[in-house]
Amino acid sequence: MKTILLNIILKFFPHILDSYDDNKLRKIYRVIQKINNLIKYRTFDIFTGISIETSTYCNRRCIYCPNHNNPTPKLYADEKIIYKFIDDLSKMKYAGWIGWNFYNEPLLDERLINFIKLSKEKIKGVTNILLTNGDFLTLENSIEYKQNGIDMFIVTIHDKNPNNAYKKLSAIKEKIGNSFIIKTLTEKELGTRAGSVEVKREYMSFKYCDVFINPIIDKDGNMLVCCNDYFRELKVGNIIENNIIQIWNDKNYKNLRKKLRYNLTESVKNKTIPDICIKCYYSMNNIKNCD
């Protein structure tokens, strides 16, 4: 249903994503996801998206990424973790989106297209999103990925001079259509990655956190609360030991989500949330931790 609604939006409003805006895209998805979650689970407290790290390596060393100073080695998730991930989502009749990366470049995993194809076969109504730096995209493999289950490409150009990359990617977009989104990063979009990098950005009031609605499964099967957790500090379970929905519904995990969403400032002050969340709060608000 979610994929159908997304396609309807793109059909009747084909230019809605021409100027990519993270907030705009999130708002579109959240409206659709709320409808799906209410119908399927009779609650809004279900993750609206989930990502899985099939491999760890990225070919880029962007200065605004922790990978710049702490590069990850080339490691690959055991296929049984990927299959368990897909099976868990299938059993819960999941209808959100799947992202196929963490801090890695997903196209460096040659198995990826088979995983995506399997997810589309087993998880009815899932929306598969490919977030990539675009370095390894060609027209041929873009078409292949689309035919095998990618619903949306989000391609971020990281070059100081983006013109050459934009020219190449625009030619692909012309063939793929509006589901192929090309973007460059602005200072406004840069984050501190939970305080692990220093960036020039526009600081703003950070009164609540909602990134927890999109957990990460790392290459070892650990569920991470936050996409900014590069060093994998905050693990709440492992999908080999428990299924995804069991981990999500854990009492302590539920309590943490409530604090992050509805009582963040007090939770930071009273230190009733994990250190990484406190560090993120101070860095995003450009406040020195005086303790």
Side-chain angles (χ1 to χ4, degrees), residues 2 22-37 44 48 97 208-214 261:
K2 183 165 176 281
D22 281 329
N23 289 326
K24 181 195 294 183
L25 189 61
R26 287 193 186 109
K27 286 177 181 178
I28 293 170
Y29 268 105
R30 282 175 187 167
V31 170
I32 299 172
Q33 288 157 353
K34 283 182 179 181
I35 296 171
N36 273 291
N37 288 344
F44 293 133
T48 55
W97 57 262
Y208 67 90
C209 176
D210 61 2
V211 296
F212 60 78
I213 61 175
N214 305 138
R261 183 64 178 86

Side-chain angles (χ1 to χ4, degrees), residues 87-194:
D87 193 50
D88 280 0
L89 295 179
S90 175
K91 287 178 179 177
M92 64 176 283
K93 297 183 176 9
Y94 179 66
W97 57 262
I98 295 176
W100 293 91
N101 70 306
F102 184 27
Y103 280 88
N104 59 305
E105 169 48 49
L107 293 179
L108 291 172
D109 187 346
E110 295 179 354
R111 309 169 300 169
L112 181 63
I113 196 164
N114 293 323
F115 296 148
I116 292 168
K117 182 178 180 181
L118 181 63
S119 74
K120 206 67 172 176
E121 291 171 353
K122 294 198 69 173
I123 312 169
K124 306 305 179 184
V126 72
T127 298
N128 280 316
I129 300 179
L130 184 63
L131 294 101
T132 171
N133 59 34
D135 291 350
F136 304 99
L137 274 179
T138 64
L139 177 57
E140 290 73 21
N141 67 16
S142 298
I143 292 173
E144 188 177 9
Y145 272 101
K146 184 174 182 179
Q147 290 174 341
N148 283 278
I150 287 297
D151 299 290
M152 181 174 290
F153 299 77
I154 300 178
V155 189
T156 305
I157 300 174
H158 296 276
D159 299 338
K160 288 183 178 180
N161 185 347
N163 293 338
N164 289 336
Y166 190 81
K167 183 178 179 181
K168 181 195 89 167
L169 294 169
S170 294
I172 299 174
K173 178 180 175 67
E174 187 176 340
K175 297 294 183 181
I176 298 297
N178 290 310
S179 62
F180 193 95
I181 299 164
I182 307 169
K183 60 170 289 196
T184 56
L185 288 176
T186 64
E187 287 187 3
K188 185 178 180 181
E189 293 176 279
L190 294 178
T192 66
R193 298 302 186 183

Side-chain angles (χ1 to χ4, degrees), residues 268 271 275 278-279 282-283 286-291:
V268 169
K271 297 184 178 180
D275 288 344
I278 295 172
K279 186 178 179 181
Y282 284 121
S283 67
N286 199 23
I287 302 171
K288 291 183 179 181
N289 187 348
C290 299
D291 295 333

